[in-house]
Amino acid sequence: MSLALGFLFADFQDAVLTGDASVATPLIRHNPRLAPARQLAIYIDGYRLRLLAAIRADYPGLLALVGDEVFDRLALDYIENHPPQHFNLDRYPHGFAAYVCELARDEFAALAQAFLIDAV
């Protein structure tokens, strides 16, 4: 891989991980049907949707308890504050239970903990 291609991939990865397309937008070829920022947004949004789906799959009890809106807000906040550290997506949701309990610190924590899988 050439050095230039390595920088291109690094900028693309930074854009996807941070959600900031401005870093990589100048590197994307303009398409008459889709602007460069929108092209990157597809990857940025898709990345977060896959992480959200992984968390939802591991915590169906909590999802049923708090509902889609609250769960997704918690999960998306977790995603933005805890980027994956491993290549295996199955491991990503394991820290979500502790994250929710840390945020709750009240009666909700006890209820939520009862519905969270043991990720350790």
Side-chain angles (χ1 to χ4, degrees):
M1 173 169 40
S2 75
L3 188 58
L5 188 56
F7 284 117
L8 177 65
F9 282 138
D11 287 346
F12 179 79
Q13 181 180 11
D14 286 347
V16 170
L17 292 177
T18 65
D20 181 7
S22 66
V23 169
T25 301
L27 306 171
I28 305 297
R29 184 181 298 182
H30 183 74
N31 179 311
R33 294 180 297 156
L34 207 55
R38 187 63 199 126
Q39 291 178 54
L40 278 170
I42 291 169
Y43 289 96
I44 291 169
D45 295 345
Y47 172 75
R48 283 157 179 75
L49 289 172
R50 282 187 290 285
L51 294 175
L52 177 60
I55 295 170
R56 281 174 151 251
D58 276 8
Y59 297 96
L62 180 61
L63 176 59
L65 177 68
V66 300
D68 291 332
E69 186 178 327
V70 170
F71 187 92
D72 288 353
R73 190 176 58 231
L74 287 168
L76 290 170
D77 188 57
Y78 177 76
I79 290 166
E80 293 307 318
N81 291 293
H82 297 86
Q85 301 297 309
H86 195 271
F87 66 88
N88 186 339
L89 183 60
D90 288 338
R91 293 183 181 187
Y92 180 67
H94 292 181
F96 184 64
Y99 181 73
V100 170
C101 289
E102 180 69 25
L103 286 177
R105 295 187 196 266
D106 60 11
E107 306 87 44
F108 175 72
L111 284 173
Q113 203 162 23
F115 284 90
L116 297 172
I117 66 167
D118 183 11
V120 180

